[in-house]
Amino acid sequence: MRKLIKLSKKRKKLVIGLMSGTSLDGIDASLVEIENSGVRTKFKELYFKSYPYPQKLRDIILENSLQDRGTVNQICELNMLIGKLYAKAVENICREYGIEVSDIDLIGSHGQTIHHLPKAKRMFGSEVRATLQIGDPSVISKLTGVITVGDFRTGDMALGGQGAPLVPYFDYITFRSNRTNRALLNIGGISNITLLKKKCKLEDVIAFDTGPGNMMIDYLMKKLFRRKFDKDGKTAFRGDVNRKLFDKLIRLDKFLDAEPPKSTGREYYNQKFIDKVLNGIADLKKVDIIRTFSEFTSYAIFYNYQKFLRQECEITEMLVSGGGANNKYLITSLQHYFGNRVRVKTVDGKLMSSDSKEALCFAILANETISGNAANIPRVTGASAATVLGKICP
């Protein structure tokens, strides 16, 4: 407890943020120097590295992320194993940067989501929403000797929220502007958008998941081309949009028109959904399938902006992050939908790279936790109140 109190009073801290997303690529680790907290937060990303999962491990995680496919034994084992891999990522990033693990003040770990159930369900007289991120933060703290904050989503869910998205708090303290109506778009496995109208306050922020990101494209690339993803969008560029397939995607995707607050994941955009879309459509070229699903990803983002955000304000700038920011087809398609009045660009710059944003975010959120600051946004998640997020593991 003394260590935690001392840490909470420290003005400048070295923090590592850890994140592994629904794309199951691996562990992203961001080493960040953080000063102050809340809207006074200043930070400098010192180093970023992504540590890929072995392919067999990715397959096991995926198996245990799907309904009726996982086992209790494997989920328990993965919870410990991934915690150990996260701790190893901390050791690796410190060694590569040239510091000792003991120099780190704090770790913020998102964990690996294996299932997310944001829609309320009645169980024995109680309304229940649920989510599960594995890679227990206690394992990380014990193996590294560094105070670790994890399990950020459950506190919001306990208050009736969806536990997601959480990045909008980071977007607000980092990217708000007095002059620009701006959107932050993250394209990971799932796409999510944050609207920051100029001169906005925290309670003005709107954010939600728009639908698929890389998740369905990656699945199809593996199935059709035996590749992990569509590098630079080259496969999509080679194909054509199949109108029949595109229209069927729009017709079957009920998440498109769902009202915010809303969040989703692999429990919706999974193999069953993809097979249902493809079923009954003959003579599809492989490259056309990739292009059509890629086009739909961009369309879903624009559709959600038009339906739920444009009435709030019209943006002039969209900053894109996540693995999808490297997909040139998605960026080109987004620019086409949003037109010349909106500048679409990646967040690459002095603050962070498009790949490191989410890992960096959880370093910032961990700092908010030990500072005693609420970091969910009730308007975004649907929670009944703002609350301090995460579990602190000494």
Side-chain angles (χ1 to χ4, degrees), residues 213-252:
N214 303 308
M215 185 177 292
M216 295 197 295
I217 302 169
D218 290 351
Y219 169 80
L220 288 164
M221 285 298 298
K222 183 179 179 182
K223 181 179 180 179
L224 301 175
F225 295 96
R226 296 184 180 180
R227 298 178 192 167
K228 291 182 179 179
F229 60 95
D230 184 10
K231 187 175 181 180
D232 298 327
K234 290 179 181 178
T235 305
F237 276 120
R238 286 166 45 209
D240 295 307
V241 173
N242 182 290
R243 196 70 224 182
K244 189 174 181 180
L245 179 61
F246 188 79
D247 290 343
K248 190 174 181 181
L249 272 163
I250 294 173
R251 186 171 71 254
L252 292 181

Side-chain angles (χ1 to χ4, degrees), residues 16-20 26-29 51 53 78-96 99-102 104 107-112 134-148:
I16 290 178
L18 300 170
M19 172 76 189
S20 44
I27 302 166
D28 292 340
Y51 302 96
Y53 286 139
L78 286 170
N79 188 40
M80 295 297 292
L81 173 62
I82 291 175
K84 289 186 174 184
L85 293 178
Y86 271 48
K88 189 66 176 178
V90 169
E91 295 173 4
N92 288 340
I93 195 172
C94 288
R95 184 184 67 253
E96 292 169 23
I99 60 175
E100 300 294 327
V101 173
S102 58
I104 302 301
I107 296 169
S109 173
H110 172 270
Q112 176 66 63
I134 57 175
D136 197 290
S138 291
V139 176
I140 303 169
S141 69
K142 297 307 176 187
L143 293 180
T144 62
V146 181
I147 292 174
T148 301

Side-chain angles (χ1 to χ4, degrees), residues 48-83:
F48 170 75
K49 186 70 177 287
S50 186
Y51 302 96
Y53 286 139
Q55 182 60 50
K56 287 186 178 180
L57 177 57
R58 292 182 71 203
D59 293 341
I60 293 171
I61 296 171
L62 176 58
E63 185 77 11
N64 284 274
S65 299
L66 300 174
Q67 190 174 3
D68 303 324
R69 297 278 289 277
T71 69
V72 173
N73 285 0
Q74 283 195 323
I75 290 172
C76 289
E77 291 162 355
L78 286 170
N79 188 40
M80 295 297 292
L81 173 62
I82 291 175

Side-chain angles (χ1 to χ4, degrees), residues 127-264:
E127 188 177 83
V128 176
R129 292 178 172 87
T131 190
L132 183 60
Q133 286 74 43
I134 57 175
D136 197 290
S138 291
V139 176
I140 303 169
S141 69
K142 297 307 176 187
L143 293 180
T144 62
V146 181
I147 292 174
T148 301
V149 182
D151 286 333
F152 287 91
R153 301 193 182 276
T154 51
D156 181 83
M157 281 191 152
L159 297 177
Q162 298 204 2
L166 299 182
V167 175
Y169 180 87
F170 170 76
D171 288 339
Y172 172 74
I173 65 175
T174 306
F175 295 104
R176 69 190 189 282
S177 170
N178 288 327
R179 296 182 296 177
T180 304
N181 290 328
R182 177 178 289 153
L184 281 298
L185 174 66
N186 188 78
I187 308 176
I190 296 297
S191 297
N192 55 72
I193 193 169
T194 302
L195 181 70
L196 302 174
K197 65 182 181 182
K198 59 185 176 183
K199 299 180 181 179
C200 70
K201 297 178 181 179
L202 185 60
E203 56 267 25
D204 297 324
V205 176
I206 308 174
F208 51 85
D209 290 350
T210 61
N214 303 308
M215 185 177 292
M216 295 197 295
I217 302 169
D218 290 351
Y219 169 80
L220 288 164
M221 285 298 298
K222 183 179 179 182
K223 181 179 180 179
L224 301 175
F225 295 96
R226 296 184 180 180
R227 298 178 192 167
K228 291 182 179 179
F229 60 95
D230 184 10
K231 187 175 181 180
D232 298 327
K234 290 179 181 178
T235 305
F237 276 120
R238 286 166 45 209
D240 295 307
V241 173
N242 182 290
R243 196 70 224 182
K244 189 174 181 180
L245 179 61
F246 188 79
D247 290 343
K248 190 174 181 181
L249 272 163
I250 294 173
R251 186 171 71 254
L252 292 181
D253 190 355
K254 305 306 180 186
F255 188 78
L256 271 179
D257 287 303
E259 295 276 341
K262 61 178 182 174
S263 59
T264 189

Side-chain angles (χ1 to χ4, degrees), residues 181-183 195 305 313-318 338 341-342:
N181 290 328
R182 177 178 289 153
L195 181 70
Y305 166 73
C313 76
E314 292 197 21
I315 62 171
T316 57
E317 183 177 77
M318 174 178 283
F338 281 89
R341 298 180 67 179
V342 178

